Amino acid sequence: MSIKTKLFAATAMSLVSASALMAETITIATVNNGDMIRMQGYTDDFTAKTGHEVEWVTLEENVLRQRVTTDISTKGGTFDIMTIGMYETPIWGANGWLVGLNDLSADYDAADILPAMAGGLSHDGTLFAAPFYGESSMIMYRTDLMEAAGMDMPDAPTWEFIRSAAAAMTDRDNDINGICLRGKAGWGEGGAFITAMSNSFGARWFDMDWNAQFDTDAWANTLNFYKGMMDESGPAGYAANGFNENLSLFQQGKCGMWIDATVAASFVTNPDDSTVADKVGFALAPDNGLGKRSNWLWAWALAIPAGTQNEAAAKEFIEWATSKDYIELVAANEGWANVPPGARTSLYENPEYQKVPFAQMTLDSILSADPQNSTVEPSPYVGVQFAAIPEFAGIATEVSQEFSAAYAGQQTVEEALAKAQDITNEAMEAAGYR
């Protein structure tokens, strides 16, 4: 062996050894949504590029929220990366609980993140979580059932049209429900849906003095309309259904309409998973003529808890998972319809992605949501389907439980709203808002 060859071999061995020494194992908590499951399938690509190994903790949405909130607030240190959203990020960032991400590499191109997503995941100009995907909500509907009912879906329908269409498409003998909506307890499950819906009915959580507003006609109209429509045209047991339950029903051909996260569009149009993939249309979430639609704004994002021992490796993972290159990786293997949507401006400028049938409606839905002005009457909080205050998650979880009990017939709508009023006012008084 020549001296030159020996030197090359020794250098190569040194680099491998150094890489092995720098390699870490990071633990990531995430939600059991389809895009997150898909990401796990590509982890080998990340490991091959960096040497870092990944351990996944995949949880149902409500459980994930509880686990990561407990872990970060108690400094448990269980996770190196947490999947969180627009509610937690600015609050936890302000508390000093998250690592700032303003120092991501130039190649990552943080300026390409959609402004609505970057703004919702920042505090005082610092990005504290990077969006894996962004979403609003919209209507997904069966075009064949709508045609059979003799109706045409407007691009921007009203709630009255939706209720009429749901009734017309319902076919109990053939196990087809006219509409499937979240009723499951949890502030980010059924609680998120009914709050976004309530905005279009003129409701709000608080007046400008932080007084609860559940004793108003607007909230009574929201819940009575929702329950009436779902009792008429929804699936049995809808009070226990969240995102994943309704996704399954729609993919099985058991829903005429589903109003939920825009990210679901790729799942309901994927012929490998959906029996109605070629029969799906899209429209904006409904309104009531009051100037507010019932769509939300959200991002499932990746954040690093302060105090992690693997900050550098965690940042490498976040750059990989939320990059343009990751989008290209998924597109190359699974098609443009299956890339994580709603996070980057460049995606919606891509001619290939513009061919995806739900791309423009997703972007229109995201851009139509205004977290600064989500209610008809003035409100003291920021947020569309939540109020961005630390106490909201606990309050809204309890309130959503009362609402779900009303949907299930365990109490009246009036009783649920009275309890919601008391729960909310008592909590706000204890927290010093009132």
Side-chain angles (χ1 to χ4, degrees):
M1 182 182 291
S2 69
I3 294 175
K4 183 177 179 180
T5 302
K6 289 179 180 178
L7 286 172
F8 178 81
T11 302
M13 288 292 291
S14 296
L15 288 173
V16 170
S17 298
S19 177
L21 286 172
M22 291 187 294
E24 305 285 355
T25 297
I26 56 174
T27 303
I28 305 175
T30 197
V31 66
N32 63 342
N33 288 352
D35 280 295
M36 303 303 187
I37 301 299
R38 181 179 289 127
M39 174 172 56
Q40 294 176 41
Y42 288 104
T43 305
D44 287 348
D45 180 81
F46 169 73
T47 299
K49 289 175 177 175
T50 66
H52 303 309
E53 300 287 341
V54 179
E55 293 182 354
W56 292 94
V57 178
T58 307
L59 303 166
E60 186 271 333
E61 184 171 327
N62 286 339
V63 178
L64 173 75
R65 295 185 197 281
Q66 293 167 358
R67 285 280 299 276
V68 299
T69 299
T70 298
D71 192 69
I72 202 163
S73 62
T74 61
K75 299 181 180 180
T78 304
F79 308 113
D80 299 300
I81 294 176
M82 296 175 166
T83 305
I84 60 176
M86 286 185 169
Y87 168 66
E88 300 95 342
T89 301
I91 296 172
W92 293 1
N95 287 348
W97 293 354
L98 300 175
V99 174
L101 300 179
N102 281 7
D103 60 348
L104 297 178
S105 70
D107 289 342
Y108 177 75
D109 192 8
D112 185 50
I113 297 173
L114 281 168
M117 299 300 154
L121 296 170
S122 298
H123 174 72
D124 281 350
T126 297
L127 185 72
F128 281 103
F132 181 68
Y133 68 76
E135 66 179 41
S136 183
S137 51
M138 65 182 177
I139 303 167
M140 294 159 277
Y141 67 95
R142 289 273 300 277
T143 54
D144 57 330
L145 296 182
M146 188 69 71
E147 182 180 355
M151 305 177 79
D152 293 315
M153 174 70 81
D155 287 338
T158 65
W159 274 111
E160 286 296 340
F161 175 87
I162 294 301
R163 187 168 185 171
S164 297
M169 288 191 285
T170 297
D171 183 353
R172 298 298 188 197
D173 292 338
N174 289 301
D175 200 18
I176 295 175
N177 308 286
I179 191 163
C180 296
L181 301 174
R182 299 188 193 193
K184 188 176 187 177
W187 75 262
E189 276 280 11
F193 181 86
I194 201 67
T195 296
M197 181 178 176
S198 76
N199 293 336
S200 68
F201 278 74
R204 54 186 174 164
W205 269 77
F206 305 102
D207 67 13
M208 295 301 291
D209 295 318
W210 295 102
N211 297 303
Q213 296 295 288
F214 293 106
D215 58 354
T216 61
D217 289 342
W219 265 108
N221 293 339
T222 302
L223 256 65
N224 281 313
F225 187 96
Y226 171 92
K227 180 170 168 54
M229 178 173 62
M230 293 300 288
D231 286 348
E232 293 165 1
S233 306
Y238 67 85
N241 289 349
F243 174 86
N244 285 324
E245 291 82 4
N246 286 322
L247 170 62
S248 178
L249 287 170
F250 195 95
Q251 289 177 323
Q252 294 172 47
K254 296 182 179 182
C255 301
M257 290 179 289
W258 180 31
I259 305 172
D260 212 297
T262 52
V263 72
S266 67
F267 307 137
V268 298
T269 57
N270 186 338
D272 293 336
D273 301 317
S274 176
T275 62
V276 296
D278 60 343
K279 304 178 179 68
V280 185
F282 306 95
L284 291 173
D287 72 358
N288 265 325
L290 300 178
K292 301 294 179 183
R293 306 208 76 79
S294 50
N295 56 304
W296 62 63
L297 185 67
W298 186 253
W300 276 120
L302 303 179
I304 303 171
T308 175
Q309 300 301 303
N310 298 313
E311 180 178 319
K315 284 186 177 179
E316 286 185 69
F317 183 88
I318 286 177
E319 286 207 22
W320 172 81
T322 65
S323 67
K324 297 176 188 178
D325 287 345
Y326 178 84
I327 291 174
E328 294 277 357
L329 175 66
V330 176
N333 286 279
E334 303 186 41
W336 282 101
N338 294 307
V339 304
R344 287 187 170 270
T345 300
S346 57
L347 179 63
Y348 292 91
E349 296 172 345
N350 186 311
E352 292 302 313
Y353 194 68
Q354 289 173 356
K355 297 175 186 176
V356 174
F358 50 81
Q360 189 60 49
M361 187 60 72
T362 295
L363 183 60
D364 290 346
S365 297
I366 288 172
L367 295 178
S368 70
D370 184 359
Q372 303 293 328
N373 299 283
S374 62
T375 54
V376 174
E377 295 186 69
S379 61
Y381 54 88
V382 173
V384 180
Q385 74 277 25
F386 57 83
I389 58 174
E391 296 78 13
F392 181 80
I395 296 169
T397 296
E398 290 190 56
V399 168
S400 72
Q401 290 167 350
E402 298 299 338
F403 288 176
S404 290
Y407 306 155
Q410 297 167 1
Q411 62 183 345
T412 67
V413 165
E414 292 74 19
E415 288 170 336
L417 288 170
K419 291 177 181 178
Q421 182 78 3
D422 291 342
I423 288 168
T424 305
N425 276 338
E426 288 173 9
M428 295 303 281
E429 286 174 9
Y433 286 80
R434 303 173 63 244

